[in-house]
């Protein structure tokens, strides 16, 4: 009987993780397909409309460092529950016919998603320490499938019996509500963490680690070019001669393709001693696809799908490194908060810089060169963070902290004292 109860608890935990993951992308990427309707209804300027894409990223950057402290005070389970409540309230607020409420609700969603993004890797590190790659790949797969599918369905849903974009966007609160209900049993499964659960010392040491910065910049530059594509890919394709419908479909294909690496990487990551060549190759391929989109736009379907695949793969690898390169759930939470704070600050500048370059040069070449350069930087930092080493904190005389990442034969990690 106890064995059966444990199986049910594990099943509910895994299902809860996947439903949380399903709530971490669609509420913000679902706006893009109906953005023109939002602009028309609220008479927004181009910069105001751009803020609907950038605002969640700013919220990610601001809220991410606070997520580890939230987990320290309330525990992972309750913190993730709070994240779901924030996302649900933000999504439901879209029913209110007010531009101000739309922006505030989008920011609230961003805060909720930031907490979920930071704490899910920590939860997986704690409860699935021997299945980090499988669980990370699986929940990113869920994010991509739900995000891409919702983006593809949002316009037909808004047109169905003329219910409008507001009801269509708010309808996602039903899935968030399901996630809340499924997550409720987790609130009583674990005791509150002790005060040392996520110490300020742990966070400070992570911020001083070269390896932590390499993982952070890998995720940051990957998010930089990803959000340029999420925000501007339809406009880029339309300028190159594609119809608006086809451009929207290709953006949906980009998002769905970003979910596919989860299927491929699940068995692959378990077999690799390190991930240097894999990460470097995928990021380099992303740069080549951006180059192809610029100079051979007639093959846009190929470039869009491959770009989405590379983006999703690098994201999965970066999140996996948060767990694989740390020693415990507390260190993973600190690294996750750091990576997503800096990463989303970088990502927030992407769509703005791309739009500014388009206004200045009156074409999208500058934006695509931004994607090429950021992908090359992603390849560099992906190669460095793909080494089979971990963040080791060594204190000398209780004052000086040295971070040494030393690996021998890809198997033994040594702390130098």
């Amino acid at each position: 009987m106890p064995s059966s109860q444990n199986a049910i608890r594990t099943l509910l935990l895994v299902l809860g993780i996947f439903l949380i993951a399903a709530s971490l992308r669609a509420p913000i990427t679902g706006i893009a397909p109906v953005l023109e309707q939002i602009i028309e209804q609220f008479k927004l300027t181009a910069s105001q409309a751009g803020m609907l894409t950038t605002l969640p990223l700013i919220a990610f950057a601001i809220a991410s460092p606070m997520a580890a402290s939230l987990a320290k005070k309330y525990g992972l389970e309750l913190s993730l529950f709070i994240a779901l409540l924030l996302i649900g309230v933000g999504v439901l607020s879209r029913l209110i016919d007010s531009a101000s409420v739309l922006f505030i609700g989008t920011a609230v969603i961003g805060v909720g998603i930031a907490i979920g993004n930071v704490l899910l890797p920590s939860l997986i590190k704690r409860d699935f320490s021997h299945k980090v790659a499988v669980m990370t790949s699986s929940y990113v797969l869920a994010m991509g499938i739900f995000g891409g599918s919702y983006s593809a369905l949002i316009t037909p849903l808004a047109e169905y019996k003329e219910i409008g974009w507001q009801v269509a966007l708010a309808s996602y609160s039903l899935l968030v509500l399901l996630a809340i209900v499924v997550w409720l049993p987790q609130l009583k499964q674990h005791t509150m963490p002790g005060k040392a659960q996520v110490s300020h010392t742990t966070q400070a040491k992570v911020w001083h680690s070269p390896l932590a910065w390499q993982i952070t910049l890998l995720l940051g530059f990957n998010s930089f070019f990803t959000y340029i594509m999420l925000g501007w890919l339809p406009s880029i394709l339309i300028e190159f001669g594609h119809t608006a419908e086809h451009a929207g479909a290709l953006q949906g294909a980009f998002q769905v393709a970003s979910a596919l690496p989860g299927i491929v990487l699940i068995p692959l990551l378990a077999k690799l001693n390190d991930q240097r060549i894999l990460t470097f190759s995928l990021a380099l391929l992303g740069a080549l696809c951006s180059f192809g989109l610029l100079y051979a736009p007639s093959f846009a379907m190929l470039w869009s799908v491959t770009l989405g695949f590379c983006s999703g793969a690098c994201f999965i690898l970066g999140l996996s490194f948060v767990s694989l390169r740390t020693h415990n759930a507390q260190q993973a939470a600190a690294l996750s908060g750091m990576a997503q704070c800096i990463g989303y600050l970088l990502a927030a500048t992407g769509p703005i810089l791309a739009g500014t370059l388009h206004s200045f040069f009156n074409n999208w070449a500058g934006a695509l060169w931004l994607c090429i350069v950021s992908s090359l930087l992603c390849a560099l930092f992906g190669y460095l963070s793909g080494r089979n080493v971990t963040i080791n904190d060594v204190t000398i005389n209780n004052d000086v902290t040295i971070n040494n990442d030393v690996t021998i034969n890809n198997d033994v990690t040594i702390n130098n004292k």
Side-chain angles (χ1 to χ4, degrees), residues 42-390:
F42 294 126
K43 310 300 181 187
L44 301 179
T45 64
S47 59
Q48 288 174 329
M51 279 300 293
L52 286 174
T53 300
T54 303
L55 194 58
L57 302 179
I58 296 173
F60 292 173
I62 294 172
S64 291
M66 297 185 289
S69 297
L70 187 70
K72 174 187 174 182
K73 186 173 183 179
Y74 297 108
L76 285 172
E77 291 78 19
L78 183 55
S79 297
L80 286 167
F81 183 74
I82 291 170
L84 287 173
L85 290 178
L86 290 172
I87 295 169
V89 168
V91 172
L92 274 176
S93 71
R94 290 168 171 171
L95 289 171
I96 300 173
D97 192 17
S98 165
S100 298
V101 172
L102 176 63
F103 281 98
I104 293 170
T106 300
V108 169
I109 291 170
V111 172
I113 291 176
I115 295 170
N117 278 337
V118 169
L119 298 184
L120 267 190
S122 182
L123 182 75
I124 288 170
K125 177 70 174 180
R126 189 194 67 187
D127 292 343
F128 300 95
S129 59
H130 300 295
K131 297 181 179 179
V132 168
V134 173
M135 289 299 298
T136 302
S137 298
S138 298
Y139 91 70
V140 173
L141 178 63
M143 287 172 62
I145 289 176
F146 278 88
S149 300
Y150 189 56
S151 292
L153 292 172
I154 190 70
T155 299
L157 183 60
E159 293 174 351
Y160 179 71
K161 294 187 177 181
E162 298 182 348
I163 64 173
W165 65 266
Q166 288 177 278
V167 175
L169 286 177
S171 66
Y172 207 78
S173 61
L174 295 174
L175 188 137
V176 180
L177 177 62
L178 176 61
I180 289 171
V181 171
V182 172
W183 194 250
L184 281 173
Q186 303 306 322
L187 301 182
K188 59 182 180 180
Q189 293 301 323
H190 300 283
T191 57
M192 292 292 291
K195 290 186 177 181
Q197 187 76 5
V198 185
S199 68
H200 292 295
T201 302
T202 297
Q203 296 184 52
K205 289 179 179 178
V206 165
W207 279 80
H208 286 86
S209 166
L211 179 57
W213 276 102
Q214 290 155 14
I215 296 169
T216 294
L217 292 173
L218 163 63
L219 283 167
F221 284 113
N222 183 64
S223 297
F224 182 90
F225 97 80
T226 297
Y227 279 92
I228 289 176
M229 287 297 168
L230 287 173
W232 295 115
L233 183 58
S235 300
I236 292 170
L237 294 173
I238 288 170
E239 185 174 281
F240 287 149
H242 296 269
T243 65
E245 292 77 12
H246 190 222
L250 289 181
Q251 191 208 35
F254 174 90
Q255 289 193 63
V256 172
S258 71
L260 299 179
I263 302 172
V264 179
L265 291 179
I266 287 172
L268 189 58
L269 281 175
K271 297 178 181 179
L272 295 175
N273 284 329
D274 67 52
Q275 297 81 29
R276 286 176 293 180
I277 300 301
L278 177 63
T279 313
F280 180 85
S281 301
L282 287 164
L284 184 62
L285 180 58
L288 293 174
C289 288
S290 294
F291 192 82
L293 197 59
L294 179 60
Y295 290 104
S298 58
F299 297 99
M301 182 66 177
L302 173 63
W303 309 133
S304 299
V305 170
T306 309
L307 267 173
F309 184 90
C310 294
S311 167
C314 289
F315 183 59
I316 289 173
L317 286 164
L319 287 181
S320 296
F321 294 161
V322 169
S323 295
L324 293 172
R325 305 294 180 252
T326 52
H327 291 285
N328 51 55
Q330 296 75 46
Q331 199 177 60
L335 175 56
S336 186
M338 170 188 172
Q340 297 193 57
C341 171
I342 301 299
Y344 285 120
L345 278 176
L346 271 173
T349 65
I352 296 173
L353 282 174
T356 301
L357 287 174
H358 178 265
S359 298
F360 187 80
F361 293 108
N362 200 30
N363 61 56
W364 288 108
L368 289 172
W369 275 108
L370 280 178
C371 292
I372 293 168
V373 172
S374 64
S375 294
L376 290 175
L377 289 170
C378 186
L380 170 64
F381 292 111
Y383 184 85
L384 292 172
S385 58
R387 295 169 296 153
N388 185 26
V389 293
T390 56

